[in-house]
Amino acid sequence: MKILLSIPLRDGMYTKFPDELLSIAAVLEKNGHHVMLHDANLGDRTAESFRDFGPDIVGFSVSTGCVADSIKKAIDFKKTFPGIKTVWGFRHPSALPEQTLAEEYVDYVIIGAGEYTLLELAEYLEKGTGSLAEIKGLAWKNGNDIVINEPRAFLNDLDELPDPAWHMVHPKKYWDVSIITSRGCPFSCTFCSDATFYKGNVSDLSAERIASQSERLRREFGINYIMYTGDNFGINKERLHEFCRIMIKKKLKLKWNCQISGYVTEEDARLMAKAGCTAVILGTESGSQKILDLLTKGNVQEFEKTFWNLVRQRIIPTLFIQYAFPTETAEDFKETLEFIKRLDNPPYLFMKFVPYPKTVLFDRCAKDKLISVPEKLADWSGFQLHYATQGNLSAIPQRLMDDTLSRFRATFASRRLFFMLRHNPVYFINAVREPKQFFSSLLYLIKNFLNALFDGSNGKESWLVKLRRILEMTPSLELQKNNVNINLSN
């Protein structure tokens, strides 16, 4: 069959590498299907523009923030290709399959990981053998009834999957090229949709496979810097150490970044640095122990120890901070700001809390009537953007948040440069030895700085966002909601 995998438009300038869909594409292609992947964030297209490909199935990877564009595209494909089957997957439809399938423009929902569920669905639609009821992990319509099949077993051996279908995209068009090193997380953070999506299960790609995929990306696509994603990357110490030793032995001229959720020892950091690690995203979330307890996220002291263990090895951590949680007060928020100061004002990412469906905090917010739960799929259009910008579920004064966000945007680039000068001055000396790598890093910093300035999906709009919206005639949040309703009525 001809299968189009679609990534709808998302907010912001940042382009996320489509690891999940590339993995699904590889499995489908391996089993003889013709697959195309389209990322609207690199250039949007209409359904009509895919006429030459003529898809039999279009699969949408849908997070809460891109429901509106997913609806628009699904309707467009249904009108353009009358016999096409629309399949929705990823976090939002997995959390709310019944509500998603209630719409006529959605034929199937894949709950959880999609590789084998979509493959079996494609085989059924192509050959007509078996039955829909036998496809685990699938939700579908039987007349006016919505059927939720038995869940698909969690994939414990990620090594059985083929390498992602990187040839379907241009990796260098993305800001980060990444490899998913694990699925799931051993923790159950109350704000995180992974706990619902993976239901507490964890599986790891082997150290050998991570290294071989890294080597292939460098050899075939010229990628010299890789982001290793997966909450378990720094938690599984045995695999982390094995991976680092393999990379050291291979002597690849490859630098890398990774996500860190757990504690990193001095030994871990030394080995990571020797293996090419230059930076990490440290998921601290907050500097207030009260808020960390609300999130079931760990403790402040452990994050501080991890931070300095990394910095001493010239690995630069970027703190991932969220704010405006339910019950969070001005005092709690100021504890986070003091936490950042204690760490000598390092680089950080600053994101406003958004409650995602079926998470513990979402259910709590609904129970306490802090949010109105959308009753229809289209009502989710603008939900994420509202709580990321206008909504405030905390007790933090709006002025305090606005002022802090303004400082974050204004100092985004200078903060990183000054921290590097203080804690890794050798980096600037190496600019003479490796000018190409230095200027690539500088360009990356400039792009991220512009993204921070122009990001209209995080807190109060900056004056640059307002100017861009006026010049480009970008619709406001209310107009975006109205546009979805107009599409549904046509």
Side-chain angles (χ1 to χ4, degrees), residues 125-144:
L125 292 174
E126 183 178 41
K127 302 173 183 176
T129 56
S131 71
L132 288 174
E134 295 173 346
I135 303 176
K136 295 178 180 179
L138 184 71
W140 53 288
K141 299 172 185 177
N142 185 12
N144 293 324

Side-chain angles (χ1 to χ4, degrees), residues 224-279:
N224 296 311
Y225 195 88
I226 293 176
M227 173 71 176
Y228 297 120
T229 63
D231 293 310
N232 214 38
F233 184 79
I235 297 172
N236 185 339
K237 302 297 186 185
E238 182 179 349
R239 186 191 62 158
L240 174 63
H241 287 200
E242 183 183 0
F243 167 72
C244 289
R245 286 192 289 268
I246 291 172
M247 295 295 281
I248 293 168
K249 185 177 180 179
K250 284 180 176 289
K251 297 181 180 179
L252 293 178
K253 290 183 178 180
L254 185 71
K255 302 298 181 182
W256 51 275
N257 191 349
C258 66
Q259 295 175 336
I260 293 293
S261 296
Y263 179 59
V264 173
T265 67
E266 291 186 33
E267 180 188 1
D268 297 337
R270 276 196 296 270
L271 201 54
M272 289 166 64
K274 192 174 181 181
C277 181
T278 61

Side-chain angles (χ1 to χ4, degrees), residues 85-353:
K85 298 299 181 183
T86 54
V87 183
W88 282 37
F90 204 45
R91 281 170 172 74
H92 190 91
S94 289
L96 301 169
E98 294 95 340
Q99 188 185 73
T100 304
L101 277 172
E103 306 301 334
E104 61 182 4
Y105 49 81
V106 182
D107 294 312
Y108 303 99
V109 164
I110 290 176
I111 302 173
E115 284 89 354
Y116 295 121
T117 304
L118 184 54
L119 174 62
E120 291 178 19
L121 176 61
E123 298 286 327
Y124 168 81
L125 292 174
E126 183 178 41
K127 302 173 183 176
T129 56
S131 71
L132 288 174
E134 295 173 346
I135 303 176
K136 295 178 180 179
L138 184 71
W140 53 288
K141 299 172 185 177
N142 185 12
N144 293 324
D145 297 325
I146 292 174
V147 182
I148 309 295
N149 288 354
E150 178 184 344
R152 182 168 294 276
F154 183 73
L155 182 61
N156 289 308
D157 182 13
L158 295 184
D159 279 21
E160 76 175 52
L161 296 172
D163 284 351
W166 296 310
H167 60 280
M168 292 188 185
V169 297
H170 297 286
K172 289 188 176 181
K173 287 187 176 181
Y174 290 89
W175 288 23
D176 287 300
V177 174
S178 55
I179 293 175
I180 297 179
T181 66
S182 65
R183 291 184 181 178
C185 179
F187 304 123
S188 299
C189 297
T190 56
F191 67 93
C192 184
S193 58
D194 271 5
T196 302
F197 192 72
Y198 292 113
K199 302 187 186 306
N201 295 297
V202 182
S203 60
D204 292 330
L205 196 65
S206 69
E208 295 88 348
R209 193 69 182 282
I210 300 171
S212 70
Q213 289 189 0
S214 304
E215 194 169 19
R216 189 180 159 205
L217 278 171
R218 186 177 186 278
R219 182 180 65 253
E220 296 182 18
F221 300 94
I223 303 301
N224 296 311
Y225 195 88
I226 293 176
M227 173 71 176
Y228 297 120
T229 63
D231 293 310
N232 214 38
F233 184 79
I235 297 172
N236 185 339
K237 302 297 186 185
E238 182 179 349
R239 186 191 62 158
L240 174 63
H241 287 200
E242 183 183 0
F243 167 72
C244 289
R245 286 192 289 268
I246 291 172
M247 295 295 281
I248 293 168
K249 185 177 180 179
K250 284 180 176 289
K251 297 181 180 179
L252 293 178
K253 290 183 178 180
L254 185 71
K255 302 298 181 182
W256 51 275
N257 191 349
C258 66
Q259 295 175 336
I260 293 293
S261 296
Y263 179 59
V264 173
T265 67
E266 291 186 33
E267 180 188 1
D268 297 337
R270 276 196 296 270
L271 201 54
M272 289 166 64
K274 192 174 181 181
C277 181
T278 61
V280 303
I281 303 295
L282 186 58
T284 51
E285 313 303 341
S286 175
S288 162
Q289 190 58 53
K290 172 193 147 185
I291 298 302
L292 290 180
D293 290 343
L294 172 71
L295 307 180
T296 64
K297 182 65 183 181
N299 65 77
V300 175
Q301 291 75 20
E302 188 173 274
F303 282 127
E304 290 193 32
K305 289 179 182 177
T306 291
F307 178 88
W308 289 116
N309 285 342
L310 291 164
V311 171
R312 278 191 285 270
Q313 298 303 319
R314 294 176 180 165
I315 297 174
I316 304 302
T318 295
L319 308 182
F320 187 85
I321 300 289
Q322 294 194 68
Y323 65 101
F325 289 102
T327 76
E328 186 171 10
T329 65
E331 288 70 28
D332 300 323
F333 187 59
K334 288 175 182 176
E335 282 187 38
T336 295
L337 301 182
E338 286 299 320
F339 170 69
I340 294 171
K341 287 181 181 178
R342 286 201 307 275
L343 299 180
D344 199 23
N345 293 307
Y348 64 88
L349 299 174
F350 212 43
M351 299 296 294
K352 199 173 184 183
F353 167 70

